[in-house]
Amino acid sequence: MKSIKTILSIFTICGVFVLNAQNKNERSTLILGTTAHIGNGDVIKNSAIGIKGTTINLVMSAQDYRLDTNAYDTVIRMYGQHSYPGFISPNNVLGLVEIDAARATRDNNEVGSITPQVRSLVAYNTDSKIIPTVRSNGVLIVQSTPQGGRISGTSSIFSLNGWNWEDAVLKIDDAIHINWPSVYSSKWENGDIIYFENKNYLTEVKELKTFFLNAKAYSKSDFNLEKNLRFEAMREVFKGNKKVFIHADKAKELSEAIYFIREQEIKKPVLVGAYDALLVADLLVDYNIPVVLRRVHELPLRKDDAVDQPYRLPALLKEAGVLFCLQNDGRMQAMGTRNLPFYAGTAAAYGLDKEEALSSITLNAAKILGIEKQVGSIEIGKLATLFVSKGDALDMKTNNVTIAFVNGQTIDLSSHQRELYEKYMKKYGLEVN
């Protein structure tokens, strides 16, 4: 009898937990009074943004007579502040690398040259201490990407909140990543960069083409006596369900990568880095190939380029009709991701419209990654992944995130950097902002 009572008690407790979880998921929140930067170019002053469960169910002016504040469990009034869709960081090792100088914390580079079967999905670390510092500046989504070799592996896209990768994943195995052979190699000599021709360039391109031809032949059969993991990872590429990100910078590399895309009939290509994208802009537009631009805050690759060339490139590509988004590649990549919004701010200062600059790290990034139906803008039906800042989120002097949501849940904005800031401000009797 006691056993039966114990079992009934357990079921009752479990039922209460399930009911509470369901109620929590269905709770609704209304954010009033912010200037809403939608992400698609539209701006709504004095906005009303409604969240129910995990999605956005209302976007309108707070002065609209149809607005019913009583329909929401919680109403948050944030007049004078700015709301934005969560910023998206493509091509990033966030979650795969903790400390660049400590080999044991780097899980972004697998042994081997051609490893499309390597997946960032199961290596992604939701407990990374870098993630909170990134979220505090409004970056809420990342494409966690393997690096190294000719074909680095397969990336996945994550929301920056969750107990484990199963909770955080937004899109599984979204793309494979190819590092296109370099036409020129470089080295430092007497304090200067010396370029010299890569004599193995044609051989390396041929090896890549041969792999694609073999993988395509393999994928035409649904049954193979001997399973090849590398070729299996390519099946969805040829079906058009998985994107191919080709990393290249120079004009010759870009143009030959584009012809490779056409030759191999790659249905969803993206070029990454693309320093010389402006020189092949016509090809990019003709073949409808988007670009993930290299880091904006950097020096030009060539001595004779204008020093502000990287800053002006986004505006020039926009004028040429190329779809692009921004990223944070290069050294200190993971921890530097917090600067992503400021890259967009620099692009705006050098010719790009302010809302177009915002789109380069929100809706345009979502389109290029293939997740625009879920995130990238503050629109009804999309996931409620957004944040509110006291000032302009693209300006490092005014970016101050006060509240953020990932899939409708408010997230903790504290970080070890914030803790240190508050600690020493209080030590010297200064006001904490």
Side-chain angles (χ1 to χ4, degrees), residues 234-249:
M234 299 293 292
R235 281 188 184 276
E236 297 304 308
V237 169
F238 300 117
K239 290 180 181 179
N241 298 327
K242 186 185 290 188
K243 291 178 179 284
V244 176
F245 281 56
I246 301 180
H247 300 240
D249 278 307

Side-chain angles (χ1 to χ4, degrees), residues 3 13 15 33 119 154 165 170 201 276 318-319 323 384 418:
S3 298
I13 293 170
R119 307 165 76 200
T154 302
W165 66 260
L170 194 60
Y201 176 75
D276 282 339
K318 174 65 179 179
E319 185 179 350
L323 176 64
R418 180 73 186 182

Side-chain angles (χ1 to χ4, degrees), residues 38-246:
I38 305 302
N40 60 4
D42 295 337
V43 178
I44 302 176
K45 294 183 178 179
N46 191 18
S47 68
I49 302 171
I51 301 171
K52 185 172 183 180
T54 61
T55 59
I56 299 168
N57 75 333
L58 176 74
V59 181
M60 64 191 305
S61 170
Q63 296 176 328
D64 196 309
Y65 70 93
R66 295 170 297 171
L67 179 62
D68 180 13
T69 58
N70 294 323
Y72 293 86
D73 301 315
T74 303
V75 178
I76 306 174
R77 292 173 171 82
M78 309 190 79
Y79 296 102
Q81 300 194 42
H82 298 259
S83 54
Y84 299 86
F87 298 150
I88 302 170
S89 178
N91 183 42
N92 204 309
V93 295
L94 185 64
L96 303 179
V97 173
E98 194 69 12
I99 304 171
D100 286 351
R103 178 65 185 88
T105 71
R106 301 200 305 266
D107 203 12
N108 63 313
N109 193 337
E110 189 55 84
V111 175
S113 177
I114 298 180
T115 56
Q117 77 279 12
V118 171
R119 307 165 76 200
S120 67
L121 179 69
V122 293
Y124 182 77
N125 176 24
T126 53
D127 293 322
S128 169
K129 286 190 175 182
I130 301 173
I131 288 176
T133 70
V134 170
R135 295 190 311 202
S136 64
N137 268 3
V139 181
L140 303 180
I141 297 168
V142 64
Q143 182 194 37
S144 191
T145 306
Q147 295 179 335
R150 184 63 59 220
I151 300 182
S152 306
T154 302
S155 59
S156 289
I157 303 170
F158 299 90
S159 297
L160 296 186
N161 188 48
W163 286 100
N164 48 46
W165 66 260
E166 291 98 330
D167 287 343
V169 69
L170 194 60
K171 189 171 184 178
I172 294 175
D173 296 341
D174 70 296
I176 68 162
H177 291 257
I178 298 172
N179 295 305
W180 191 261
S182 297
V183 176
Y184 295 99
S185 299
S186 61
K187 65 178 181 180
W188 281 96
E189 189 173 293
N190 298 324
D192 204 355
I193 300 179
I194 305 298
Y195 290 95
F196 53 93
E197 185 179 359
N198 176 14
K199 296 181 179 179
N200 296 321
Y201 176 75
L202 294 178
T203 301
E204 292 169 357
V205 171
K206 184 178 179 180
E207 289 175 351
L208 187 58
K209 290 182 177 180
T210 300
F211 173 78
F212 261 75
L213 289 173
N214 291 336
K216 185 181 292 186
Y218 179 93
S219 67
K220 288 180 179 178
S221 174
D222 292 329
F223 175 77
N224 293 279
L225 290 175
E226 185 176 340
K227 181 170 287 190
N228 186 307
L229 294 180
R230 297 193 305 168
F231 293 161
E232 288 289 342
M234 299 293 292
R235 281 188 184 276
E236 297 304 308
V237 169
F238 300 117
K239 290 180 181 179
N241 298 327
K242 186 185 290 188
K243 291 178 179 284
V244 176
F245 281 56
I246 301 180

